[in-house]
Amino acid sequence: MDTIKGLKRSDWCGTLRMSDVGREVTLYGWAQRQRDLGNLIFIDLRDRTGLVQLSFNDTTDRELFAKAQSVRAEYVVAAVGTVCERESKTDKIPTGDIEINIRDFRILSKAETPPFEIAKSQEVGDDVTLKYRYLNLRNQKLTENILMRHKIAKIAREYFYENDFIEIETPMMIKSTPEGARDYVVPSRVHNGKFYALPQSPQIYKQLCMVAGFDRYIQLARCFRDEDLRADRQPEFTQIDLEMSFVDTDELMDMAEGFIERLMKEAVDVDIQLPLPRMTFAEAMEKYGTDKPDTRFDMLINDISDWAVKTDFVVFKGAVEDGGSVRAIVAKNAASVYSRKKIDKLTEHAKGIGAKGLAYIRWADEEPNCSFAKFLREGELDALISQLGAEKGDCVFIISGKNSQALSILGALRLIVAKELDLIPEGKWNYLWITEMPFFEFDEESGEWVAMHHPFTMPLDECIEYLDTDKGKVRAQAFDLVLNGTELSSGSMRITDCKLQNKMFELLGMSQEEIDAKFGFLVEAYHYASPPHGGMGIGLDRLAMIICGADSLRDVTAFPKVQNASELMSGAPSVIDDVQLEELGISLNKTEDDDEQ
């Protein structure tokens, strides 16, 4: 192999332009493709910034020409040459107007044939690309995603540093405290039989930083949650975590908006209008059926309960009389797309997420086709169509049942229909604050009230009187930041009164003994006076995913986990040997399945 002695990189491959013609440059990178045309050889050289074409011709030193002939995909090479204008230009790459006429060329490392073509890795299954993730990351799109993620992190640090925030690292091995998801636990060798937990967030520690007097805290914090994976969820993730003292909700949200405004300008050159729009949780649920609405398109949910209860259709009438409701969405110009077969498929999806059925009106011909028309009296269908503003060519989809269920199901169907009708515009950045979140939500499985945000959230002053009498009425000084239907952040003002904090734990079903064991150190800290404070955590990974136009967090994570939380490249998680287990005081109950693996 050649060496790099005497060569110092002068430029990056993807940055050269016509203004560089005549300059001699030294480049390093990977050979993406070699084309041997006999008396001409072209090599596409790639580094993290992009591609540039290397040119070898009849004036090239014969030894260098022979080296170029031997180059195969993914060889690591060094090249020295003069930037020249290309005869055959291309607009497919930013460097398509120029090429490098080579005078020195060195092969630094040879590669075996890769298991897939790097430039087309998106066409290969995850089982292969994630096993060879270090190769997949050479793909230009994935490289750009990782660089964008870095850029977002850089902008965040610079913005918050300029606003007097202090970066403080909080522990990665902490006491297990309930925060909504299962903890990842770490056994202690020194304290046999005891376990650390990996932090679901730095929540308690950043609040204690406020008690300690650090006023403004920032951290790009790694967080861990043992949850089922999905496209926008990984078991380990990063959040731009902040906390501020001596502020109210508006000041906290203003600080976050300043970051969003700067981020969008510097990252994607988009001007965001401030202040960002706000919507209460109740309004979001009523209009969109979700607390993270995608506001890039209309198709709002309509409450038609007043109409439904007057009909003889027992499904609708019964839902209202039982305390529920009947809700509808109007899909404009959808009748030509939604055939009966397609409506049946949508109905099956609705049933899969809890609906008993899906009623519909499809107005494709002169007269609308209504799935429940035989239960209506004369004029009732016309009244409904008029109320909804439906027209010929539209479809109306209707769900009835408990309020929360009907809204959430119709909210999900709204997104499906919008995608199928191609109603969601590209290039829009609809940020939205969701405010006045409920403090409690009722868990139907356990039959208990649980904290919707976390138990350190301050209730709205006017709701404190309902803590003992009507938990459903208690709203919190909590807020979410949503972008194009994806939740980016949750934040709140915090409880700083030790008596109120203790009471909130009690209301969530904790005994005093349990409170002392899990949160005693936090409650005790408030005995020594705490400033009013609040904070939030902005999901760095999700933000990068949306800005990059990616479909999954995997596309913006260097070494992601798959559905079962394993990492295909390294084989994590893996077994540990008996010596390690003995040191930790752990014995495993092995099953026959374990022995077979």
Side-chain angles (χ1 to χ4, degrees):
M1 292 297 106
D2 295 323
T3 69
I4 63 172
K5 187 175 181 180
L7 297 184
K8 183 177 180 181
R9 177 169 19 209
S10 66
D11 295 89
W12 300 94
C13 294
T15 62
L16 298 171
R17 299 291 186 271
M18 283 292 293
S19 57
D20 296 300
V21 168
R23 285 181 54 223
E24 182 169 279
V25 296
T26 301
L27 308 173
Y28 289 105
W30 283 258
Q32 178 152 301
R33 185 172 62 144
Q34 185 252 46
R35 287 161 289 154
D36 189 342
L37 305 179
N39 62 338
L40 280 176
I41 295 175
F42 297 110
I43 294 175
D44 291 336
L45 186 66
R46 181 190 70 240
D47 64 18
R48 74 188 196 197
T49 64
L51 292 171
V52 70
Q53 179 173 280
L54 308 183
S55 174
F56 303 79
N57 52 46
D58 53 9
T59 66
T60 306
D61 179 88
R62 290 300 90 185
E63 184 179 342
L64 298 184
F65 196 91
K67 279 186 184 180
Q69 283 181 313
S70 71
V71 167
R72 298 293 178 266
E74 300 310 310
Y75 277 28
V76 178
V77 302
V80 180
T82 303
V83 181
C84 302
E85 185 173 359
R86 277 174 69 158
E87 288 187 12
S88 300
K89 297 180 181 180
T90 177
D91 58 4
K92 293 182 179 179
I93 55 175
T95 60
D97 291 338
I98 57 98
E99 63 185 12
I100 313 301
N101 193 358
I102 299 301
R103 76 162 182 82
D104 191 1
F105 184 73
R106 306 181 190 183
I107 297 175
L108 304 178
S109 182
K110 294 182 179 180
E112 295 181 7
T113 301
F116 51 85
E117 187 177 346
I118 302 299
K120 298 180 179 179
S121 63
Q122 66 273 12
E123 301 173 9
V124 183
D126 286 345
D127 55 336
V128 176
T129 57
L130 290 177
K131 181 179 180 180
Y132 298 95
R133 184 62 168 181
Y134 47 87
L135 295 179
N136 194 23
L137 285 170
R138 294 180 188 176
N139 176 278
Q140 186 172 351
K141 179 57 180 172
L142 276 181
T143 299
E144 290 172 354
N145 288 353
I146 298 300
L147 292 176
M148 176 57 77
R149 194 179 188 281
H150 159 74
K151 189 173 185 177
I152 294 169
K154 181 174 181 287
I155 293 168
R157 281 197 163 98
E158 290 172 348
Y159 172 80
F160 287 108
Y161 287 173
E162 290 170 13
N163 282 280
D164 299 322
F165 282 76
I166 303 164
E167 184 156 7
I168 302 175
E169 291 186 349
T170 53
M172 297 295 282
M173 295 193 300
I174 66 172
K175 184 176 184 175
S176 181
T177 56
E179 286 196 36
R182 287 182 294 271
D183 284 330
Y184 281 103
V185 295
V186 180
S188 170
R189 177 186 60 81
V190 177
H191 303 279
N192 240 238
K194 294 185 177 181
F195 296 81
Y196 301 101
L198 299 180
Q200 294 185 32
S201 76
Q203 185 62 48
I204 294 178
Y205 285 97
K206 68 176 180 177
Q207 289 189 236
L208 291 173
C209 285
M210 299 300 103
V211 177
F214 287 106
D215 286 22
R216 295 187 172 194
Y217 143 98
I218 182 68
Q219 183 181 193
L220 269 61
R222 293 294 283 169
C223 305
F224 307 84
R225 297 180 186 177
D226 188 2
E227 299 178 302
D228 294 333
L229 271 64
R230 60 190 189 203
D232 64 349
R233 180 187 288 166
Q234 282 276 308
E236 50 186 318
F237 58 94
T238 302
Q239 64 185 33
I240 303 166
D241 203 52
L242 60 132
E243 198 81 8
M244 300 175 68
S245 293
F246 308 113
V247 295
D248 58 21
T249 303
D250 287 336
E251 291 171 290
L252 184 56
M253 294 165 79
D254 287 345
M255 182 61 69
E257 288 185 358
F259 165 63
I260 293 299
E261 180 184 40
R262 178 161 170 177
L263 169 71
M264 297 303 294
K265 185 63 178 177
E266 294 189 10
V268 289
D269 195 26
V270 170
D271 293 312
I272 296 293
Q273 294 297 316
L274 299 183
L276 299 178
R278 300 185 184 189
M279 183 182 296
T280 65
F281 174 89
E283 184 182 358
M285 293 303 298
E286 283 288 318
K287 289 183 175 179
Y288 298 94
T290 176
D291 60 354
K292 43 183 180 292
D294 190 337
T295 59
R296 289 175 295 174
F297 63 100
D298 293 325
M299 206 192 309
L300 303 185
I301 295 174
N302 296 270
D303 188 345
I304 58 171
S305 301
D306 289 345
W307 170 88
V309 77
K310 297 174 185 175
T311 71
D312 292 330
F313 186 26
V314 293
V315 174
F316 288 175
K317 191 180 183 76
V320 179
E321 291 176 345
D322 289 342
S325 60
V326 183
R327 312 277 177 156
I329 55 173
V330 180
K332 305 300 292 183
N333 303 310
S336 60
V337 175
Y338 276 92
S339 61
R340 177 59 189 271
K341 183 177 180 180
K342 198 156 189 175
I343 291 177
D344 288 344
K345 185 177 179 182
L346 191 65
T347 302
E348 289 306 308
H349 185 90
K351 289 179 178 179
I353 55 177
K356 293 180 180 178
L358 177 66
Y360 67 86
I361 302 168
R362 179 175 179 264
W363 197 347
D365 303 314
E366 287 305 314
E367 295 297 323
N369 175 22
C370 175
S371 65
F372 51 94
K374 64 182 179 180
F375 302 105
L376 300 180
R377 294 188 294 270
E378 185 176 351
E380 286 182 333
L381 180 58
D382 291 338
L384 176 59
I385 288 173
S386 176
Q387 178 180 331
L388 293 173
E391 301 170 309
K392 184 178 179 181
D394 298 345
C395 285
V396 178
F397 300 110
I398 305 171
I399 293 287
S400 60
K402 291 181 179 179
N403 284 333
S404 59
Q405 189 177 41
L407 286 168
S408 63
I409 292 170
L410 211 48
L413 295 184
R414 173 181 177 267
L415 290 174
I416 293 171
V417 172
K419 289 175 183 175
E420 291 184 339
L421 296 179
D422 197 23
L423 298 180
I424 305 175
E426 296 291 332
K428 288 193 74 174
W429 306 90
N430 280 29
Y431 285 92
L432 174 69
W433 289 111
I434 302 297
T435 62
E436 298 186 25
M437 311 291 287
F439 191 99
F440 300 98
E441 61 181 338
F442 189 73
D443 186 340
E444 304 241 353
E445 289 187 16
S446 66
E448 297 178 349
W449 290 93
V450 297
M452 190 170 188
H453 196 69
H454 56 59
F456 320 114
T457 301
M458 185 69 186
L460 287 166
D461 293 341
E462 63 267 29
C463 295
I464 291 178
E465 64 178 292
Y466 300 118
L467 288 173
D468 293 311
T469 59
D470 192 346
K471 291 185 177 68
K473 283 187 177 180
V474 181
R475 289 167 289 130
Q477 294 184 42
F479 46 86
D480 285 354
L481 181 61
V482 176
L483 171 58
N484 293 352
T486 296
E487 179 190 319
L488 290 182
S489 171
S490 288
S492 71
M493 298 302 296
R494 320 303 190 189
I495 297 172
T496 56
D497 177 84
C498 54
K499 291 182 180 179
L500 180 58
Q501 183 64 82
N502 206 76
K503 181 179 181 65
M504 300 310 291
F505 290 141
E506 291 174 351
L507 291 172
L508 291 168
M510 296 185 195
S511 66
Q512 190 60 50
E513 183 180 7
E514 189 178 4
I515 295 169
D516 292 341
K518 293 180 176 178
F519 300 107
F521 65 100
L522 176 66
V523 176
E524 183 180 12
Y526 289 155
H527 283 275
Y528 299 99
S530 169
H533 62 271
M536 60 192 300
I538 303 171
L540 175 58
D541 315 77
R542 288 186 181 180
L543 193 54
M545 181 181 75
I546 298 175
I547 287 178
C548 292
D551 295 324
S552 167
L553 290 182
R554 292 183 190 178
D555 297 330
V556 295
T557 303
F559 300 101
K561 304 292 190 294
V562 295
Q563 185 66 35
N564 64 1
S566 65
E567 194 227 291
L568 300 184
M569 185 189 69
S570 68
S574 61
V575 298
I576 60 174
D577 60 40
D578 292 339
V579 174
Q580 289 175 288
L581 290 172
E582 187 175 345
E583 286 180 337
L584 295 169
I586 294 176
S587 60
L588 301 179
N589 295 321
K590 292 188 176 182
T591 65
E592 291 183 9
D593 289 340
D594 294 327
D595 293 331
E596 291 174 3
Q597 289 178 357

